[in-house]
């Protein structure tokens, strides 16, 4: 699988970009992927339409939006872009606005980028690395931080003995839900529960059919409203990279003090 630094080369990084609103911010990220041969301009339109249809659930942590859409013919190859804004913009998120960093993903399928998403979630969840990325002065400096801090994808330790399943859900099952999946797995590792609980990232449509297999669903407020009553607890997470918040939600789910 491609690494995070391979998916985000220096040519796909722009810093101090001026954007009047969230659409311009997403468009700037999309234009970078077009310029690097990742997708056509139609994919940028699809990313914007994803937010218009599903709400600002892509703002998965304070100041950070992860722009993406479903795999489509507009995607030429799996790739990403990184846009740090000159001035933050509002996406309409209740708690994570305003946004100063937009990372965009165009994926050919739902699996090729899983390792890179896990690496990115870990990087942005680490205060030291997040600060280094925020203060980087050139695209090459950003790319160097990404390349230097990558870690291997977490290996499953369930050994086939898992008895519970938790779903992490986003609009299309291959973007923000993977961030939340990785954060939840970090908490489960810390608890020593990885042998007993599996985590599956999925989309809203599939989640409704799979809800009966799960003990809980973790997602954003926007997606929770879309799901409605699915017969299992739906827990809203505001910061998809915060192990502290996910830890509190997991304790509430299992009534652990």
């Amino acid at each position: 699988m491609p690494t995070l630094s391979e998916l985000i080369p220096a040519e796909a990084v722009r810093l101090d970009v001026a954007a009047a609103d969230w659409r311009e911010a997403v468009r700037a990220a999309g234009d970078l992927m077009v310029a690097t041969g990742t997708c056509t301009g139609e994919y940028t339109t699809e990313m914007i339409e994803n937010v218009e249809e599903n709400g600002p659930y892509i703002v998965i942590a304070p100041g950070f939006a992860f722009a993406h859409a479903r795999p489509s013919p507009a995607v030429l190859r799996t790739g990403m872009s990184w846009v740090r804004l000159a001035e933050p913009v509002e996406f309409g998120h209740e708690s994570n606005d305003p946004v100063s960093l937009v990372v965009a993903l165009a994926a050919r399928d739902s699996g090729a980028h899983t390792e890179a998403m896990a690496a990115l979630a870990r990087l942005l969840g680490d205060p030291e690395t997040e600060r280094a990325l925020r203060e980087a002065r050139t695209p090459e400096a950003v790319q160097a931080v990404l390349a230097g801090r990558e870690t291997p994808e977490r290996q499953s330790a369930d050994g086939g003995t898992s008895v519970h399943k938790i779903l992490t859900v986003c609009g299309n099952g291959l973007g923000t839900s993977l961030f939340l999946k990785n954060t939840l797995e970090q908490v489960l590792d810390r608890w020593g529960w990885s042998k007993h609980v599996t985590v599956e990232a999925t989309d809203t449509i599939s989640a409704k059919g799979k809800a009966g297999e799960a003990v809980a669903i973790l997602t954003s407020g926007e997606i929770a409203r879309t799901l409605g009553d699915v017969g299992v607890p739906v827990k809203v997470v505001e910061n998809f990279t915060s192990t502290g918040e996910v830890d509190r939600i997991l304790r509430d789910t299992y009534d652990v003090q």
Side-chain angles (χ1 to χ4, degrees):
M1 287 187 180
T3 65
L4 183 59
S5 57
E6 289 172 339
L7 290 175
I8 311 179
E11 296 77 17
V13 178
R14 283 187 64 197
L15 306 179
D16 302 321
V17 174
D21 56 29
W22 71 264
R23 288 179 176 83
E24 285 194 11
V26 172
R27 192 170 290 112
D31 288 346
L32 268 181
M33 293 196 295
V34 173
T36 53
T38 296
C39 61
T40 69
E42 179 60 29
Y43 187 75
T44 301
T45 300
E46 293 169 2
M47 290 194 295
I48 292 172
E49 290 175 345
N50 182 39
V51 178
E52 291 173 339
E53 179 180 350
N54 296 305
Y57 78 93
I58 67 168
V59 186
I60 62 175
F64 172 48
F66 186 63
H68 60 286
R70 293 180 181 276
S72 78
V75 179
L76 305 178
R77 61 179 176 84
T78 298
M80 300 172 67
S81 65
W82 182 285
V83 172
R84 192 174 71 198
L85 301 175
E87 297 292 337
V89 299
E90 301 280 339
F91 273 66
H93 195 279
E94 294 177 357
S95 57
N96 291 335
D97 269 346
V99 168
S100 57
L101 174 64
V102 179
V103 177
L105 164 73
R108 291 281 290 176
D109 57 60
S110 61
H113 61 293
T114 304
E115 182 175 345
M117 293 302 94
L120 181 58
R122 285 190 290 270
L123 293 180
L124 294 176
D126 176 67
E128 179 183 347
T129 306
E130 190 276 334
R131 182 171 57 254
L133 290 168
R134 184 176 65 248
E135 295 176 353
R137 296 191 175 188
T138 66
E140 290 75 17
V142 170
Q143 217 270 340
V145 175
L146 296 177
R149 301 295 182 89
E150 289 176 333
T151 55
E153 183 182 16
R154 172 192 177 275
Q155 297 298 312
S156 174
D158 63 18
T161 62
S162 298
V163 296
H164 284 180
K165 177 187 288 187
I166 295 177
L167 302 178
T168 60
V169 182
C170 72
N172 49 42
L174 53 79
T176 57
S177 60
L178 288 174
F179 274 91
L180 186 52
K181 177 180 186 289
N182 179 74
T183 303
L184 177 55
E185 286 177 336
Q186 290 182 61
V187 175
L188 289 169
D189 282 348
R190 184 185 302 162
W191 285 24
W193 281 24
S194 297
K195 293 182 178 180
H196 310 292
V197 182
T198 58
V199 185
E200 180 179 347
T202 189
D203 61 273
T204 51
I205 296 175
S206 299
K208 292 180 179 180
K210 296 179 178 180
E213 306 170 6
V215 296
I217 290 174
L218 272 59
T219 188
S220 67
E222 292 83 5
I223 298 300
R225 287 189 285 273
T226 298
L227 288 173
D229 184 3
V230 291
V232 299
V234 178
K235 307 285 187 174
V236 173
V237 182
E238 294 182 351
N239 185 344
F240 280 26
T241 64
S242 171
T243 54
E245 181 180 358
V246 171
D247 183 285
R248 291 192 298 273
I249 290 172
L250 194 62
R251 289 180 185 276
D252 179 69
T253 300
Y254 283 99
D255 194 23
V256 174
Q257 301 302 312

